[in-house]
Amino acid sequence: MSELVRFGISAEKGLLDKFDCLMRERGHTNRSKAFSDLVRQELVKKEWIEGREVAGAIIMIYDHHKRELVNKLMDIQHDFNKIIMSTQHIHLDHDNCLEIIAIKGASAEAEKLADALKGVKGVKHTTLGMSSTGREI
Amino acid sequence: MSELVRFGISAEKGLLDKFDCLMRERGHTNRSKAFSDLVRQELVKKEWIEGREVAGAIIMIYDHHKRELVNKLMDIQHDFNKIIMSTQHIHLDHDNCLEIIAIKGASAEAEKLADALKGVKGVKHTTLGMSSTGREI
Amino acid sequence: MSELVRFGISAEKGLLDKFDCLMRERGHTNRSKAFSDLVRQELVKKEWIEGREVAGAIIMIYDHHKRELVNKLMDIQHDFNKIIMSTQHIHLDHDNCLEIIAIKGASAEAEKLADALKGVKGVKHTTLGMSSTGREI
Amino acid sequence: MSELVRFGISAEKGLLDKFDCLMRERGHTNRSKAFSDLVRQELVKKEWIEGREVAGAIIMIYDHHKRELVNKLMDIQHDFNKIIMSTQHIHLDHDNCLEIIAIKGASAEAEKLADALKGVKGVKHTTLGMSSTGREI
């Protein structure tokens, strides 16, 4: 963690009041923390767009009854073993599984993996939760 | 415009450097302005979600050769005349028109209008550019 | 406009019912149109990501009382005259203007222009409505 | 799983070619699967907007050295134990942790939990990966 620096910001009073309001609604109480969060949000978007090393998770819903599905998902995950750190599997109901794959690596690879999983018959929905390794933010 | 107030923010030096960098890349030079912009961006999202009065534009691409299309678009726009302020029409090529409809009104009405236009045969793409009346931000 | 082709799709009955429902809610009645719309939506996203020639609009809210603002906006727009087709200006209230700039050109240029306008003191919010020239969709 | 039904779709040849192209680029080979995926994507968005029961994951990066952080995160998670199914924790480097919380419950509750976690000092970034229970899609 780098040292803290303090600096001044000018803003219209009306806007600042709304900022404070927004913070309180979200349960936050600290302008400095809220400022840093807004900045980090922009930096994480940039890491993904620029193809930097990122972290995040692929969230996937599938019907495990589909023939061959589990084997195919396993094969694809092994092809991308360099960016997969761990997986979490939840039996949502008799048919549906929620599988969450924690990833760390180049953003383009993460997107390729999400696409490959999405293509498998029986996979109903995938979404790529984009976060950061935290090192640069 | 309300009066300006000045206040202090603490942030990690590394993060602040990256913020300054991000600003410069986008051609901005002023932390106070950049801070206010990040806040306003959040407030505009909130105005749309909460169904407040908003402003913006519906951007639409269509092929004007489709039978009845121009009349249908006109009819729909008249049904929503209360939220339409003006339109801009550009002949992109022999077939394609770009039409931009400036809107101001309840966010739900704007979304309904965008959906109605999208449903017309010959309309290839619509997008709703979400901005603000500026009064509350 | 290219010729129409007809092809078959298989889907689970439950999913198809929900699709029909979603269409009706949005006032659409035609599966073929709804299918083409979903595809075009993906193609437009791709045109922007890949830096292709696109069309769209920059939507901007500003307070015209800010010193020098109008001149600066004019200067920036002239620097980007190759991608600006026309503008629409609306006086929202005593202070706030809504300006909508119709653009056509490389997606990266459009993003640069949006950033440059956003950086001007007095500009409260900009958003880039991403659409297409229609030629490739 | 409900029965399969087959139906016809008409589309312009040029558009269909692009659709096939897009599918192949993403490693998919089946128009019916790709159609169902586009529909499900819309349905999942709708489930979140309408406040239905959803599933997904909160992805969080934090610096575990911050005082009291781990206890606070634990307390918050216990307050929301009804929607948390399991968590996955990865030590990214000496400072940064990636924590992924699998959730199932009302979309508004999931958003509240994500906000509460984001407010804790030391949490650098949170993102809410929005998926579905799979039951209705």
Side-chain angles (χ1 to χ4, degrees):
Chain A
M1 199 196 85
S2 69
E3 52 166 330
L4 282 179
V5 291
R6 196 161 174 86
F7 61 97
I9 288 278
S10 301
E12 293 181 15
K13 197 183 167 310
L15 187 69
L16 191 58
D17 289 346
K18 282 184 200 298
F19 176 58
D20 289 344
C21 229
L22 193 68
M23 276 191 343
R24 274 193 302 271
E25 272 177 38
R26 296 182 180 172
H28 308 174
T29 50
N30 185 320
R31 282 182 191 162
S32 294
K33 161 81 170 128
F35 168 80
S36 295
D37 282 352
L38 287 173
V39 175
R40 285 196 189 103
Q41 206 173 290
E42 295 294 309
L43 293 175
V44 172
K45 274 190 228 162
K46 205 160 142 6
E47 290 184 347
W48 279 84
I49 289 169
E50 293 184 351
R52 307 270 290 281
E53 188 183 46
V54 296
I58 295 170
I59 300 154
M60 194 167 41
I61 298 289
Y62 58 80
D63 177 345
H64 65 95
H65 289 122
K66 290 276 177 183
R67 253 170 64 85
E68 286 302 301
L69 174 133
V70 179
N71 289 337
K72 276 183 200 155
L73 294 181
M74 204 61 95
D75 288 349
I76 292 170
Q77 294 192 38
H78 277 273
D79 291 345
F80 285 85
N81 66 74
K82 280 189 189 142
I83 66 164
I84 296 180
M85 289 181 296
S86 75
T87 68
Q88 197 175 356
H89 185 108
I90 289 137
H91 309 292
L92 287 174
D93 59 28
H94 186 257
D95 301 312
N96 292 293
C97 302
L98 172 64
E99 193 160 309
I100 302 173
I101 306 173
I103 48 167
K104 182 181 150 190
S107 63
E109 282 299 292
E111 283 161 0
K112 246 188 250 171
L113 171 54
D115 268 348
L117 295 167
K118 195 179 184 176
V120 176
K121 213 176 159 173
V123 174
K124 292 179 166 184
H125 188 259
T126 58
T127 189
L128 180 53
M130 300 182 178
S131 193
S132 165
T133 64
R135 263 210 309 277
E136 306 288 330
I137 64 170
Chain B
M1 199 196 85
S2 68
E3 53 167 329
L4 281 179
V5 289
R6 193 159 176 87
F7 60 98
I9 289 278
S10 301
E12 295 181 13
K13 197 183 168 309
L15 187 70
L16 191 58
D17 289 346
K18 282 183 199 298
F19 176 58
D20 289 345
C21 228
L22 193 67
M23 276 190 347
R24 275 193 303 270
E25 272 177 39
R26 296 182 178 171
H28 309 172
T29 52
N30 185 319
R31 283 182 192 161
S32 293
K33 161 82 169 127
F35 168 80
S36 295
D37 283 351
L38 287 173
V39 175
R40 285 195 189 102
Q41 206 172 291
E42 296 294 310
L43 293 174
V44 173
K45 273 189 229 164
K46 204 161 140 11
E47 290 183 347
W48 280 84
I49 289 169
E50 292 184 352
R52 307 270 290 281
E53 188 183 47
V54 296
I58 295 169
I59 301 155
M60 194 166 42
I61 298 290
Y62 58 80
D63 177 345
H64 66 94
H65 290 123
K66 291 275 178 184
R67 253 171 64 86
E68 288 301 303
L69 173 132
V70 179
N71 289 336
K72 277 183 200 154
L73 294 181
M74 204 62 96
D75 288 349
I76 292 170
Q77 293 191 39
H78 277 274
D79 291 344
F80 286 85
N81 66 74
K82 279 188 189 143
I83 66 164
I84 296 179
M85 288 179 298
S86 76
T87 68
Q88 197 174 356
H89 184 108
I90 288 138
H91 310 292
L92 287 175
D93 59 29
H94 186 256
D95 301 312
N96 293 293
C97 302
L98 173 64
E99 193 159 311
I100 302 173
I101 305 173
I103 48 168
K104 182 180 148 190
S107 63
E109 282 299 291
E111 282 161 1
K112 247 189 248 169
L113 171 54
D115 268 348
L117 294 167
K118 194 179 184 175
V120 176
K121 213 176 159 173
V123 174
K124 291 179 167 185
H125 189 258
T126 58
T127 188
L128 180 52
M130 300 182 178
S131 194
S132 164
T133 63
R135 262 209 310 277
E136 307 286 331
I137 63 170
Chain C
M1 197 197 88
S2 68
E3 52 167 328
L4 282 179
V5 289
R6 194 161 175 85
F7 61 98
I9 288 279
S10 301
E12 293 180 16
K13 197 181 169 310
L15 186 69
L16 191 59
D17 288 346
K18 282 183 200 298
F19 176 58
D20 289 345
C21 229
L22 192 68
M23 277 190 345
R24 274 192 304 270
E25 271 177 39
R26 297 183 179 170
H28 307 173
T29 51
N30 185 319
R31 282 182 192 161
S32 294
K33 162 80 169 127
F35 168 80
S36 295
D37 282 351
L38 288 172
V39 175
R40 285 195 189 103
Q41 206 172 290
E42 295 294 308
L43 293 175
V44 172
K45 273 189 227 164
K46 204 161 145 3
E47 289 183 349
W48 279 85
I49 289 169
E50 293 184 352
R52 307 270 290 280
E53 187 182 47
V54 296
I58 295 170
I59 301 154
M60 194 166 42
I61 298 290
Y62 59 80
D63 177 345
H64 65 95
H65 290 123
K66 291 275 176 185
R67 252 171 65 85
E68 287 301 302
L69 174 132
V70 179
N71 290 336
K72 276 184 200 153
L73 293 181
M74 204 61 94
D75 288 349
I76 291 170
Q77 292 191 39
H78 277 274
D79 291 344
F80 285 85
N81 66 73
K82 280 188 189 144
I83 65 165
I84 296 180
M85 288 180 297
S86 76
T87 67
Q88 199 174 355
H89 184 108
I90 289 138
H91 310 292
L92 286 174
D93 58 30
H94 185 257
D95 301 312
N96 293 294
C97 303
L98 172 65
E99 193 159 310
I100 302 172
I101 306 173
I103 47 168
K104 182 180 148 190
S107 63
E109 282 299 292
E111 282 161 1
K112 248 189 248 169
L113 172 54
D115 268 347
L117 295 167
K118 195 179 183 176
V120 176
K121 213 176 157 172
V123 174
K124 293 178 166 185
H125 189 258
T126 57
T127 187
L128 180 52
M130 300 181 179
S131 193
S132 164
T133 64
R135 263 210 309 278
E136 307 287 331
I137 64 170
Chain D
M1 200 195 86
S2 69
E3 53 167 330
L4 283 178
V5 289
R6 195 160 176 87
F7 61 98
I9 289 277
S10 301
E12 292 180 16
K13 197 183 168 309
L15 186 70
L16 190 60
D17 289 345
K18 281 182 201 298
F19 175 57
D20 289 344
C21 229
L22 193 67
M23 277 192 341
R24 273 192 304 269
E25 272 176 39
R26 297 183 178 171
H28 308 174
T29 51
N30 186 320
R31 282 182 190 161
S32 293
K33 161 81 169 126
F35 168 81
S36 295
D37 282 351
L38 287 173
V39 174
R40 286 196 188 102
Q41 206 173 288
E42 294 295 309
L43 294 174
V44 172
K45 275 190 226 161
K46 204 161 143 10
E47 289 184 347
W48 279 85
I49 290 169
E50 293 184 350
R52 308 269 290 280
E53 187 183 48
V54 296
I58 295 170
I59 301 155
M60 195 167 38
I61 297 290
Y62 59 81
D63 177 345
H64 65 95
H65 289 124
K66 291 274 178 186
R67 252 172 64 87
E68 286 302 301
L69 174 132
V70 179
N71 289 337
K72 276 183 200 154
L73 294 181
M74 204 62 95
D75 287 349
I76 293 170
Q77 293 191 39
H78 277 275
D79 291 344
F80 285 85
N81 67 74
K82 279 189 189 143
I83 65 164
I84 296 179
M85 288 181 296
S86 76
T87 68
Q88 198 174 357
H89 184 108
I90 289 138
H91 310 292
L92 286 174
D93 58 29
H94 185 255
D95 301 312
N96 293 292
C97 302
L98 172 64
E99 192 159 310
I100 302 172
I101 306 173
I103 47 167
K104 183 181 148 189
S107 63
E109 282 298 293
E111 282 161 0
K112 246 188 249 169
L113 171 54
D115 268 348
L117 294 167
K118 195 179 182 175
V120 176
K121 214 175 157 171
V123 174
K124 293 179 166 185
H125 188 257
T126 58
T127 187
L128 180 52
M130 300 182 178
S131 193
S132 164
T133 63
R135 262 210 309 277
E136 307 287 330
I137 64 170

